[in-house]
Amino acid sequence: MRDLRRTALWLGLIGSVSFLSLSAMAQTTTGDSPDTSQPVLAQSPAEPSFHDVAVQAAPTQAEPTLPLIPLPEPAPFSMQAADAEPKIEIPLPDAAPVTALMQQDVLRMIVEGLLADDAAMRSLRLSRKERDALTAFYAQAERPLAWSQDGAFTSAAMGAVARIKAADEDGLDPTDYPLPDLKLRKEASPAQWAEADLKFSAAVIRYARDARGGRIEPSRLSALATPKLAIPEADEVLKKVAFAKDANAALSSYNPPHAGYRALKERLAELRASHPSQPSVRVPKGPALRVGMKDPRVPLIRARFNLKDDDKHTIYDERLASAVAAFQKEKGLPTNGVLTAQTVAALSGPSLAQREAELIANMERWRWLPEDLGERHILVNVPEFRLQLSEDGKVTHETRVIVGKEQSQTPIFSEDMKYLVVNPSWTIPPSIMKKEILPALANDPDYAAKKGYRIIRRGNSISVQQPPGERNALGFVKFMFPNQHAVYLHDTPNRNLFSATRRAFSHGCVRVDKPFELAEAVMGEGAKWDEKRLKSLIGKGERTVHLPKPLPVHLAYFTVAVDEKGSLKSFPDLYGLDQKVRTALGLTQ
């Protein structure tokens, strides 16, 4: 079909040239000029000549005006040539401009055909929305191809290639972004170049989409994981990358810019560099080993540290003890080179593949956060049981928190805090009403009165509310960032729970330690509502205090993170979300 279209286009161009030539010949042989051998009579302006009338009488029959092709001057008349047909040579235009125009038109025609071909587009593995954006991009482009020109790939194309080939540095899989044949030369057919261009575009679009979190739909892993993913528009990605001075950097910019993400990326690189082929070894339990002792476990330990020479002997020598001491230092164990039971347990810990998977899964969840966290923002890391308020990239306030139980998990999302409520009342949510309050009322009609709750009846429905006070489940202050899950940060009367190491006790909201210190930090430096003034409102009825400016709050879920000192910390997978992300990404378990 493409060959037929190309042939038709050629024939059309050639036919236009032939038609122009024949028209010129007709004008030369028949002529429209008057016969100069007859006298010309002057006509009154009021009386038009026959010629004028004839011209005016047939305006609808006029032929379209065609451009004339210059003809050579006719040769002098010769008697010898009187009976011969006159030979007129008509020079044709130079073929080069036609060829260049032809190539552009053919490329556009082929690209349009591929974009309209469902089978071809499905092979690019793009969504319907992305396919529509891809079509719009090529329809509006000045050039028919985005990634090649004059029979060669552009510098932007090669920059994108470099980033895609290094996708594993960001925990992405380069094979998810198949590239065209990079060995294409100028002699390749227009169809090959067109197909290569679309494949290039698809690879760039998919990389940008995945770098911003498009590999997984979080809500499919958990109904409580509802971050708003900012997946970039396909045509905007192409405009940004295809014409960038540094396409490598432009494409890389779709990965999270946050310091926490970059720290995990660096740890991933270090892990791969320091243990390129570390085997997974389970060392059996046994007595502590010191230099000079023999033990059948020694070959296993040597294999664990890639000490392959003399790997059959069973003597625990100086070289092996040095490797063990270095490992102990890395793990924060006593650095004595003695193979203790604690060291054996650490040696039998996660394999290289498991540690890689853990880092990559956490890097993936950084993609769930907005690209801009906010100049001032709060980040709650649920598995760490910690809240941090940051300003200009520095932590200015942090505190311990209590998060939801496994049966009533704290959701994962971002929203803006807009106001505080001092002396809040607590309207018990429907989920707690159903599971706890209604069964308790059925067993003891005085249950509400004993707890200090008010029962509010509206028609056939009832709600239960706890008034402000020391016994209120929300304590003296709550921090409101309206959201679909109806959760918030708040104080608690059960402050003794903050001393626990594993603090998953709430019904989903986040309880904060020392809430009035946080309230002052949230209001900002120089605000009229400091800790002392806010506390002065206690016992004076419910009071709403608006923030000077909305403050972004991010409820996040990281099981590994690099702290301010550069140490890698691990936290429990409270809700099994880390495991679900690994499974969704197909990472080794």
Side-chain angles (χ1 to χ4, degrees):
M1 186 64 177
R2 298 184 193 126
D3 291 335
L4 287 174
R5 290 179 180 175
R6 188 157 53 245
T7 302
L9 188 55
W10 265 114
L11 290 174
L13 289 171
I14 294 170
S16 297
V17 173
S18 302
F19 179 75
L20 292 174
S21 302
L22 291 173
S23 298
M25 290 175 62
Q27 288 179 334
T28 304
T29 54
T30 58
D32 290 329
S33 57
D35 185 355
T36 57
S37 62
Q38 299 294 327
V40 178
L41 300 178
Q43 298 289 333
S44 169
E47 298 179 7
S49 67
F50 176 80
H51 177 72
D52 292 333
V53 173
V55 169
Q56 295 172 2
T60 59
Q61 301 299 321
E63 292 291 336
T65 302
L66 296 175
L68 298 179
I69 297 177
L71 300 180
E73 291 292 329
F77 181 79
S78 171
M79 288 298 294
Q80 288 80 0
D83 297 330
E85 289 290 333
K87 294 183 179 181
I88 302 175
E89 295 183 1
I90 304 174
L92 294 176
D94 189 353
V98 176
T99 301
L101 178 63
M102 174 62 183
Q103 289 175 342
Q104 297 291 308
D105 287 342
V106 167
L107 285 170
R108 286 192 185 279
M109 181 178 66
I110 295 173
V111 169
E112 290 172 4
L114 289 171
L115 290 169
D117 188 331
D118 283 339
M121 293 297 283
R122 280 196 300 270
S123 69
L124 299 179
R125 293 184 290 173
L126 298 175
S127 68
R128 170 57 66 180
K129 182 179 179 181
E130 289 168 337
R131 288 169 57 175
D132 291 344
L134 185 68
T135 301
F137 170 78
Y138 277 96
Q140 298 168 4
E142 293 182 5
R143 295 189 284 111
L145 302 183
W147 304 100
S148 62
Q149 193 169 11
D150 299 328
F153 288 111
T154 64
S155 59
M158 301 318 295
V161 167
R163 176 46 36 203
I164 289 173
K165 287 186 174 180
D168 61 339
E169 294 177 0
D170 288 281
L172 303 174
D173 187 350
T175 62
D176 287 339
Y177 320 108
L179 293 165
D181 181 6
L182 300 176
K183 296 180 180 179
L184 275 184
R185 293 294 178 263
K186 194 169 185 177
E187 296 74 22
S189 70
Q192 288 176 301
W193 281 110
E195 290 167 2
D197 215 75
L198 291 179
K199 197 170 184 178
F200 233 128
S201 291
V204 168
I205 291 169
R206 294 184 62 205
Y207 181 99
R209 177 188 67 194
D210 290 358
R212 285 304 305 136
R215 288 200 288 181
I216 302 173
E217 173 52 53
S219 61
R220 293 186 179 181
L221 305 183
S222 169
L224 295 175
T226 58
K228 298 174 183 176
L229 300 180
I231 305 301
E233 296 294 333
D235 54 342
E236 292 303 319
V237 171
L238 295 177
K239 291 175 185 176
K240 177 179 178 178
V241 180
F243 307 109
K245 291 183 178 179
D246 186 348
N248 188 327
L251 191 53
S252 181
S253 69
Y254 289 102
N255 289 295
H258 316 120
Y261 173 86
R262 294 197 304 269
L264 292 181
K265 179 179 176 179
E266 289 173 6
R267 284 308 178 106
L268 179 63
E270 291 171 5
L271 178 65
R272 288 168 172 170
S274 59
H275 304 288
S277 58
Q278 183 188 87
S280 177
V281 176
R282 291 288 175 180
V283 181
K285 295 180 180 180
L289 294 181
R290 291 176 171 81
V291 175
M293 296 177 66
K294 288 187 176 182
D295 193 284
R297 295 174 296 165
V298 168
L300 281 175
I301 302 166
R302 295 182 71 81
R304 170 64 173 76
F305 292 108
N306 292 316
L307 302 177
K308 297 181 180 180
D309 56 317
D310 298 327
D311 57 358
K312 292 184 179 180
H313 73 70
T314 59
I315 299 175
Y316 190 77
D317 57 19
E318 288 281 1
R319 189 181 181 202
L320 183 53
S322 296
V324 169
F327 174 78
Q328 290 170 331
K329 182 177 181 180
E330 179 185 337
K331 295 298 180 181
L333 302 173
T335 309
N336 52 23
V338 177
L339 189 72
T340 61
Q342 194 177 14
T343 303
V344 168
L347 282 170
S348 300
S351 67
L352 174 64
Q354 289 173 316
R355 283 184 285 168
E356 274 196 18
E358 188 175 32
L359 288 170
I360 292 171
N362 279 271
M363 290 169 67
E364 187 69 21
R365 288 194 294 281
W366 273 106
R367 306 182 197 280
W368 296 1
L369 290 168
E371 183 177 0
D372 183 3
L373 298 179
E375 184 179 337
R376 296 181 75 238
H377 67 269
I378 285 175
L379 178 67
V380 176
N381 186 18
V382 172
E384 189 181 3
F385 312 109
R386 184 164 299 279
L387 175 152
Q388 292 182 320
L389 171 61
S390 296
E391 187 168 356
D392 295 327
K394 295 181 179 180
V395 176
T396 57
H397 181 85
E398 64 178 296
T399 187
R400 295 174 294 180
V401 299
I402 293 170
V403 301
K405 298 174 285 190
E406 186 177 354
Q407 299 80 11
S408 53
Q409 300 174 10
T410 296
I412 308 303
F413 67 97
S414 298
E415 198 51 81
D416 287 346
M417 182 187 296
K418 297 179 179 177
Y419 60 95
L420 317 178
V421 178
V422 183
N423 304 313
S425 58
W426 181 44
T427 300
I428 299 175
S431 59
I432 300 177
M433 281 283 293
K434 182 178 179 180
K435 293 179 181 178
E436 299 179 20
I437 305 301
L438 293 179
L441 287 172
N443 293 330
D444 182 3
D446 296 325
Y447 173 79
K450 292 177 182 178
K451 289 287 187 179
Y453 296 163
R454 292 196 298 252
I455 297 179
I456 302 171
R457 291 180 170 84
R458 292 187 179 88
N460 294 327
S461 65
I462 66 168
S463 62
V464 176
Q465 189 178 81
Q466 186 181 33
E470 291 185 4
R471 297 174 62 188
N472 189 282
L474 305 184
F476 291 119
V477 60
K478 65 178 179 179
F479 304 78
M480 299 301 292
F481 43 104
N483 59 84
Q484 69 184 80
H485 302 287
V487 301
Y488 35 85
L489 309 178
H490 65 84
D491 182 18
T492 176
N494 299 320
R495 294 186 177 86
N496 61 306
L497 295 177
F498 287 105
S499 62
T501 301
R502 190 182 177 101
R503 297 186 292 274
F505 305 120
S506 83
H507 288 92
C509 287
V510 178
R511 306 175 193 172
V512 298
D513 194 16
K514 300 178 180 178
F516 282 100
E517 288 185 13
L518 175 62
E520 180 176 327
V522 161
M523 297 304 294
E525 186 176 353
K528 63 180 182 178
W529 288 102
D530 58 12
E531 180 180 357
K532 183 178 179 179
R533 188 178 180 192
L534 288 167
K535 281 185 173 179
S536 70
L537 298 176
I538 293 176
K540 297 182 180 179
E542 192 168 273
R543 178 73 177 269
T544 297
V545 180
H546 290 276
L547 272 63
K549 185 179 180 181
L551 180 66
V553 176
H554 310 289
L555 303 186
Y557 194 97
F558 299 115
T559 56
V560 294
V562 178
D563 66 13
E564 294 79 8
K565 298 179 181 179
S567 300
L568 187 67
K569 301 293 185 181
S570 297
F571 313 109
D573 188 9
L574 284 179
Y575 308 146
L577 187 57
D578 189 71
Q579 185 66 45
K580 290 178 180 178
V581 171
R582 294 192 210 185
T583 301
L585 294 178
L587 299 173
T588 304
Q589 306 302 315

